[in-house]
Amino acid sequence: QSFGAPFYIYNYYIVTNFLQRVLGEHKDWKKVGAETINKANDMLFPTMMHHWRVWPVVHTFNFYYVPLHHRVLVQNLVLVGWSGYLSHLNHE
Protein backbone atom coordinates (compact mmCIF):
# COMPACT_ATOMS: atom_id res chain seq x y z
CA GLN A 1 0.00 0.00 0.00
CA SER A 2 2.79 2.42 0.81
CA PHE A 3 5.15 1.72 -2.09
CA GLY A 4 3.24 -0.18 -4.75
CA ALA A 5 0.13 1.99 -4.87
CA PRO A 6 1.84 5.33 -5.62
CA PHE A 7 3.96 3.64 -8.28
CA TYR A 8 0.93 2.00 -9.90
CA ILE A 9 -1.27 5.10 -9.80
CA TYR A 10 1.48 7.41 -11.09
CA ASN A 11 2.23 5.05 -13.97
CA TYR A 12 -1.47 4.69 -14.72
CA TYR A 13 -1.78 8.46 -15.11
CA ILE A 14 1.41 8.68 -17.20
CA VAL A 15 0.49 5.91 -19.64
CA THR A 16 -3.18 6.79 -20.11
CA ASN A 17 -2.62 10.53 -20.47
CA PHE A 18 0.34 10.12 -22.81
CA LEU A 19 -1.44 7.67 -25.10
CA GLN A 20 -4.65 9.69 -25.17
CA ARG A 21 -2.85 12.88 -26.09
CA VAL A 22 -0.45 11.40 -28.62
CA LEU A 23 -3.04 9.26 -30.35
CA GLY A 24 -5.85 11.80 -30.13
CA GLU A 25 -4.24 15.14 -30.89
CA HIS A 26 -0.97 14.21 -32.65
CA LYS A 27 1.08 16.70 -30.69
CA ASP A 28 4.80 16.84 -30.26
CA TRP A 29 5.91 13.90 -28.09
CA LYS A 30 8.19 16.00 -25.88
CA LYS A 31 5.48 18.57 -25.16
CA VAL A 32 2.94 15.82 -24.47
CA GLY A 33 5.44 14.09 -22.19
CA ALA A 34 6.00 17.22 -20.12
CA GLU A 35 2.25 17.91 -19.86
CA THR A 36 1.61 14.31 -18.88
CA ILE A 37 4.22 14.32 -16.13
CA ASN A 38 2.87 17.60 -14.74
CA LYS A 39 -0.68 16.27 -14.68
CA ALA A 40 0.42 13.00 -13.03
CA ASN A 41 2.37 14.93 -10.40
CA ASP A 42 -0.64 17.12 -9.65
CA MET A 43 -3.06 14.19 -9.40
CA LEU A 44 -0.93 11.73 -7.40
CA PHE A 45 -1.33 13.14 -3.88
CA PRO A 46 -5.12 13.70 -3.98
CA THR A 47 -5.59 10.25 -5.50
CA MET A 48 -3.44 8.66 -2.82
CA MET A 49 -5.50 10.37 -0.12
CA HIS A 50 -8.63 8.73 -1.58
CA HIS A 51 -6.75 5.46 -1.94
CA TRP A 52 -5.77 5.45 1.73
CA ARG A 53 -9.38 6.13 2.71
CA VAL A 54 -10.81 3.27 0.65
CA TRP A 55 -8.39 0.37 0.61
CA PRO A 56 -7.53 -0.01 4.31
CA VAL A 57 -11.27 -0.28 5.06
CA VAL A 58 -11.73 -2.80 2.24
CA HIS A 59 -8.79 -4.90 3.41
CA THR A 60 -9.88 -4.80 7.04
CA PHE A 61 -13.41 -5.86 6.16
CA ASN A 62 -12.14 -8.47 3.73
CA PHE A 63 -9.66 -10.13 6.08
CA TYR A 64 -11.86 -10.12 9.18
CA TYR A 65 -15.35 -10.82 7.85
CA VAL A 66 -15.16 -12.41 4.40
CA PRO A 67 -14.55 -16.17 4.13
CA LEU A 68 -11.25 -17.11 2.51
CA HIS A 69 -12.79 -18.45 -0.67
CA HIS A 70 -14.63 -15.13 -1.33
CA ARG A 71 -11.79 -12.71 -0.65
CA VAL A 72 -10.56 -12.48 -4.23
CA LEU A 73 -14.11 -11.77 -5.38
CA VAL A 74 -14.47 -8.89 -2.90
CA GLN A 75 -11.09 -7.43 -3.93
CA ASN A 76 -11.97 -7.64 -7.62
CA LEU A 77 -15.42 -6.08 -7.16
CA VAL A 78 -13.94 -3.12 -5.31
CA LEU A 79 -11.13 -2.91 -7.86
CA VAL A 80 -13.64 -2.53 -10.71
CA GLY A 81 -15.13 0.47 -8.92
CA TRP A 82 -11.68 1.85 -8.08
CA SER A 83 -10.57 1.56 -11.71
CA GLY A 84 -13.68 3.44 -12.80
CA TYR A 85 -12.93 6.11 -10.23
CA LEU A 86 -9.35 6.49 -11.50
CA SER A 87 -10.66 6.80 -15.03
CA HIS A 88 -13.13 9.47 -13.87
CA LEU A 89 -10.37 11.45 -12.15
CA ASN A 90 -8.13 11.12 -15.18
CA HIS A 91 -10.74 12.68 -17.48
CA GLU A 92 -11.79 15.62 -15.31
Side-chain angles (χ1 to χ4, degrees), residues 34-52:
E35 291 171 358
T36 299
I37 289 172
N38 288 337
K39 183 174 180 179
N41 287 338
D42 292 341
M43 295 177 70
L44 182 62
F45 184 73
T47 305
M48 287 307 302
M49 295 306 292
H50 291 290
H51 179 274
W52 287 324

Side-chain angles (χ1 to χ4, degrees), residues 18 21-33 35:
F18 184 78
R21 290 180 183 196
V22 166
L23 297 176
E25 300 172 10
H26 305 291
K27 288 185 177 179
D28 177 32
W29 287 46
K30 289 181 182 180
K31 183 179 178 183
V32 170
E35 291 171 358

